[in-house]
Amino acid sequence: DTGVSQDPRHKITKRGQNVTFRCDPISEHNRLYWYRQTLGQGPEFLTYFQNEAQLEKSRLLSDRFSAERPKGSFSTLEIQRTEQGDSAMYLCASTGQSQYGYTFGSGTRLTVV
Amino acid sequence: RKEVEQDPGPFNVPEGATVAFNCTYSNSASQSFFWYRQDCRKEPKLLMSVYSSGNEDGRFTAQLNRASQYISLLIRDSKLSDSATYLCVVRGEGTGGFKTIFGAGTRLFVKA
């Protein structure tokens, strides 16, 4: 499978717990993006990596959120002290040099109870 | 005003109908334009790019009007499988994420 992989597909957690999601982009893609999508809305940008460098962070990425891409391959998104408002679909996307369009992973659906 | 605006719908059309969606954007410096399709509880998938000259892919036609800052998607001979949410995407110059803005989507239901 050469697509973008995300794990887990679903996560239910209690408020206040920490969660971590993983994204494996298409291997030749050097650009990786995290988005968040809630019901009835389009994806909202969270953060962007080019190789291992985190070049952009949205204000949506509060201090409870952190993302890494240590070797320029897979990425992790961690949410600390989860809140009910964090419940959403977290989407990872990657692009290559052509920058044509995003290839999204299947997403991680987070439910905070 | 939102940077990218779409009519949320839903559009309910019978099979075989022609349906058109519009999307307006506020940043006149936007460089690239796309339509994505998103099925319920699935990830968005790139449907097609939108060029000033207009482009067609089978039953789908996309057009861009830079002067009026809107893009359109036309679907001819609708199929049941076309039922989905269609997201308009506008991108500025560069590779970052800030300049790629997704609309909230237009929902389409095609009925037999």
Side-chain angles (χ1 to χ4, degrees):
Chain A
D1 184 10
T2 58
V4 178
S5 299
Q6 290 189 247
D7 183 68
R9 292 292 302 275
H10 304 275
K11 179 70 176 179
I12 300 174
T13 190
K14 291 184 178 179
R15 190 173 49 191
Q17 297 295 304
N18 300 343
V19 294
T20 300
F21 310 142
R22 176 179 170 124
C23 171
D24 287 87
I26 292 172
S27 57
E28 59 267 30
H29 285 182
N30 62 335
R31 299 182 183 112
L32 185 147
Y33 306 80
W34 283 98
Y35 280 80
R36 182 174 73 182
Q37 187 175 26
T38 53
L39 194 63
Q41 300 299 316
E44 295 177 290
F45 170 67
L46 292 177
T47 191
Y48 159 56
F49 289 86
Q50 184 164 315
N51 300 311
E52 66 275 8
Q54 187 175 21
L55 299 184
E56 293 179 354
K57 289 173 61 174
S58 163
R59 61 179 171 77
L60 292 176
L61 215 68
S62 74
D63 57 3
R64 296 185 299 105
F65 288 70
S66 62
E68 295 183 340
R69 194 183 183 196
K71 298 181 180 179
S73 56
F74 73 91
S75 176
T76 57
L77 177 68
E78 181 183 16
I79 309 174
Q80 295 182 327
R81 305 181 303 281
T82 51
E83 302 173 355
Q84 285 188 320
D86 297 331
S87 296
M89 173 78 91
Y90 289 84
L91 292 161
C92 175
S94 67
T95 65
Q97 294 294 337
S98 68
Q99 255 284 293
Y100 178 61
Y102 290 167
T103 300
F104 281 94
S106 299
T108 294
R109 184 170 298 279
L110 173 66
T111 302
V112 181
V113 297
Chain B
R1 181 185 174 188
K2 291 184 179 179
E3 292 186 72
V4 177
E5 291 202 70
Q6 296 183 249
D7 180 346
F11 286 65
N12 293 288
V13 302
E15 269 187 297
T18 295
V19 61
F21 310 135
N22 286 334
C23 165
T24 58
Y25 61 95
S26 60
N27 186 352
S28 59
S30 298
Q31 299 279 319
S32 309
F33 308 88
F34 306 88
W35 284 101
Y36 280 71
R37 171 197 168 120
Q38 187 170 26
D39 293 295
C40 187
R41 303 180 77 82
K42 301 281 190 179
E43 75 274 21
K45 292 185 178 179
L46 180 63
L47 181 65
M48 58 198 306
S49 296
V50 189
Y51 305 117
S52 295
S53 55
N55 49 304
E56 188 173 312
D57 183 1
R59 299 180 293 107
F60 297 82
T61 300
Q63 292 200 310
L64 165 65
N65 185 318
R66 284 189 182 272
S68 300
Q69 294 181 206
Y70 79 81
I71 69 175
S72 65
L73 178 68
L74 181 78
I75 306 175
R76 290 181 298 277
D77 188 23
S78 300
K79 311 291 185 189
L80 293 175
S81 58
D82 293 333
S83 297
T85 296
Y86 291 84
L87 300 169
C88 169
V89 182
V90 175
R91 190 166 73 197
E93 188 176 356
T95 60
F98 278 121
K99 297 180 180 177
T100 300
I101 309 296
F102 284 77
T106 298
R107 295 184 71 185
L108 171 66
F109 292 103
V110 181
K111 299 186 176 181

